[in-house]
Amino acid sequence: MTTHYTTLHVALPHSPYDILIGESLLDRFAAMLPPSLSKSRKFFICDSNTELYARRIAGESPVFSVSAGEQSKSFSVFQDVLSWLLDHQVDRHSLIVAVGGGVVGDLAGFAAASVMRGVPVVQVPTSLLAMVDSSVGGKTGINMPQGKNLVGAFHQPSMVICDLEVLKTLPERELKAGYAEILKYALLGDSAFFDWLETHGQEVLDLNPEAVSYAVKRSCEMKRDIVVADEKETSGRRALLNLGHTFAHAFEAVMGYDGRLLHGEAVAVGMVCAMELSVRKNLMSAQQVERVVQHLSRLGLKAHLKDLRLPADVQAETLLEIMRGDKKAAEGSINFILMRGIGQAFLTGDVAKDDVIQVLTQ
Ligand code: GLY
């Protein structure tokens, strides 16, 4: 069987790897692996939604399935994963394979970073969001009662395998949430990609093979370039990937993580808030924000704060306090990613509290 796929190489000096993007890749999983890993003992980690895929590619290898949902990114489930790996005599020559969305990728990636002081992990993302964002770049971790992703490690995968066919079984709402992260790349750094999305966005959501393949490829390319330039998020470049996320994390925190608000939905509205903040600072025009809002609305994505239906008692001040507690807040000032126009994002701590309050109340 011939399999057509695109390879993007992530040229990190100490941990280079390939991202494969194509169709029917799961059926050829073993043949796709880098030669150095093909003979490793493999441990598959998945969730209740992706177990069928994991078992399809695992063959005789052991599979550990966690409950689907954000609650699995916890210290206790992390311990269960580690215990399972150790009970099965994992060693430093083993390979962990994460088959799932962002939760599985982050959890299994962190287990791989920690067990035996680090074993290789291959990411097999099964959601659009995981394909274009969380599976690439090596951020792994779990949530703590104090907040999301507060414990973790940078642990680059040895390969990322995006089989676009699995998107066919993804609920529409999840596809749209993943689309928000694709849009993020266009807004933060590629206005021509935004023009393309305006024309082809619906085809991406309809899973037109050429359109979805291009959108995933372009997003992974942009993420790859940012990660190679700033692997550990020290120069401000990787922080651009947090466009809309300071707002989004606050929205998610007040809604809880019970599935009522998906991360991508919060990010879509968060990006509009970041643009509105940019307009308040005379950095970009209101017409450009309107263009993005129209785009989101045409595709049936939430664009405005009111669309999120936050609890009525949540005040703008409450959201601001949560933002201050966000781990990206440096010594009291909150860092925001603002925009000088579509495709021109930058990091700044120079934002007045009143402007944020205005954006959250309008
Ligand atoms: N998801 C943001 C990053 O990988 O840096």
Side-chain angles (χ1 to χ4, degrees):
M1 180 170 74
T2 46
T3 311
H4 296 287
Y5 61 91
T6 304
T7 303
L8 296 177
H9 186 61
V10 184
L12 284 165
H14 301 295
S15 44
Y17 57 97
D18 286 339
I19 306 168
L20 312 185
I21 302 164
E23 305 236 335
S24 307
L25 299 185
L26 291 191
D27 295 329
R28 306 198 56 227
F29 173 76
M32 294 286 155
L33 290 177
S36 60
L37 295 176
S38 59
K39 294 208 165 49
S40 305
R41 275 194 312 132
K42 300 174 189 61
F43 295 86
F44 288 76
I45 300 173
C46 61
D47 70 19
S48 37
N49 288 335
T50 61
E51 191 171 340
L52 282 179
Y53 292 127
R55 294 207 180 274
R56 199 168 105 198
I57 53 181
E60 300 292 301
S61 299
V63 175
F64 189 79
S65 179
V66 302
S67 308
E70 191 70 29
Q71 72 282 358
S72 285
K73 247 177 84 171
S74 67
F75 201 75
S76 71
V77 176
F78 176 62
Q79 187 173 3
D80 293 344
V81 173
L82 294 181
S83 297
W84 174 78
L85 290 167
L86 294 169
D87 287 347
H88 286 76
Q89 284 81 43
V90 69
D91 64 35
R92 297 194 71 186
H93 305 289
S94 304
L95 169 65
I96 291 176
V97 184
V99 184
V103 168
V104 168
D106 285 6
L107 175 73
F110 188 35
S114 321
V115 79
M116 313 306 288
R117 297 200 180 87
V119 301
V121 61
V122 165
Q123 294 281 353
V124 182
T126 58
S127 69
L128 187 57
L129 186 138
M131 287 183 191
V132 299
D133 187 18
S134 56
S135 68
V136 175
K139 278 192 182 175
T140 71
I142 54 172
N143 304 329
M144 294 294 286
Q146 289 82 353
K148 274 186 75 172
N149 296 325
L150 290 182
V151 171
F154 284 100
H155 186 59
Q156 296 295 339
S158 298
M159 178 170 266
V160 180
I161 302 179
C162 302
D163 185 338
L164 302 174
E165 248 166 40
V166 305
L167 297 175
K168 290 180 185 156
T169 55
L170 202 65
E172 189 188 348
R173 191 173 160 217
E174 299 246 4
L175 264 183
K176 287 183 175 171
Y179 184 90
E181 297 278 0
I182 292 176
L183 177 62
K184 178 185 80 178
Y185 292 102
L187 297 181
L188 76 86
D190 187 352
S191 63
F193 187 33
F194 181 67
D195 296 343
W196 185 89
L197 288 172
E198 280 190 314
T199 311
H200 299 283
Q202 187 59 53
E203 292 162 42
V204 174
L205 292 177
D206 291 341
L207 297 181
N208 169 295
E210 281 84 38
V212 77
S213 164
Y214 177 74
V216 171
K217 189 176 126 245
R218 183 68 196 121
S219 301
C220 286
E221 243 168 28
M222 289 186 69
K223 176 131 192 196
R224 183 264 316 264
D225 293 347
I226 289 173
V227 167
V228 168
D230 181 19
E231 182 185 0
K232 301 271 169 76
E233 203 169 318
T234 50
S235 75
R237 181 89 194 272
R238 186 162 182 167
L240 300 183
L241 296 171
N242 296 324
L243 174 62
H245 283 57
T246 304
F247 287 102
H249 288 158
F251 304 151
E252 289 181 275
V254 294
M255 289 296 275
Y257 302 98
D258 55 6
R260 278 182 302 158
L261 176 63
L262 299 180
H263 177 65
E265 293 170 336
V267 167
V269 175
M271 291 191 298
V272 173
C273 290
M275 284 185 282
E276 283 168 351
L277 197 50
S278 305
V279 172
R280 292 196 78 79
K281 288 178 68 69
N282 292 320
L283 291 163
M284 73 186 287
S285 69
Q287 286 85 344
Q288 284 185 304
V289 185
E290 190 48 33
R291 202 176 145 197
V292 177
V293 167
Q294 289 290 329
H295 177 63
L296 288 166
S297 306
R298 257 202 308 277
L299 296 179
L301 275 88
K302 296 177 181 28
H304 295 293
L305 194 51
K306 63 176 168 19
D307 300 334
L308 296 184
R309 298 182 188 283
L310 301 185
D313 59 345
V314 170
Q315 310 283 324
E317 280 77 8
T318 315
L319 294 167
L320 188 68
E321 270 320 297
I322 296 171
M323 290 183 196
R324 280 194 203 285
D326 193 277
K327 68 180 183 303
K328 289 165 200 81
E331 292 169 9
S333 79
I334 310 175
N335 282 333
F336 283 93
I337 312 300
L338 298 185
M339 288 165 58
R340 294 195 178 90
I342 290 172
Q344 298 175 63
F346 67 102
L347 172 69
T348 179
D350 176 23
V351 172
K353 173 183 165 220
D354 284 353
D355 282 337
V356 182
I357 296 282
Q358 289 296 330
V359 165
L360 290 169
T361 41
Q362 66 193 5

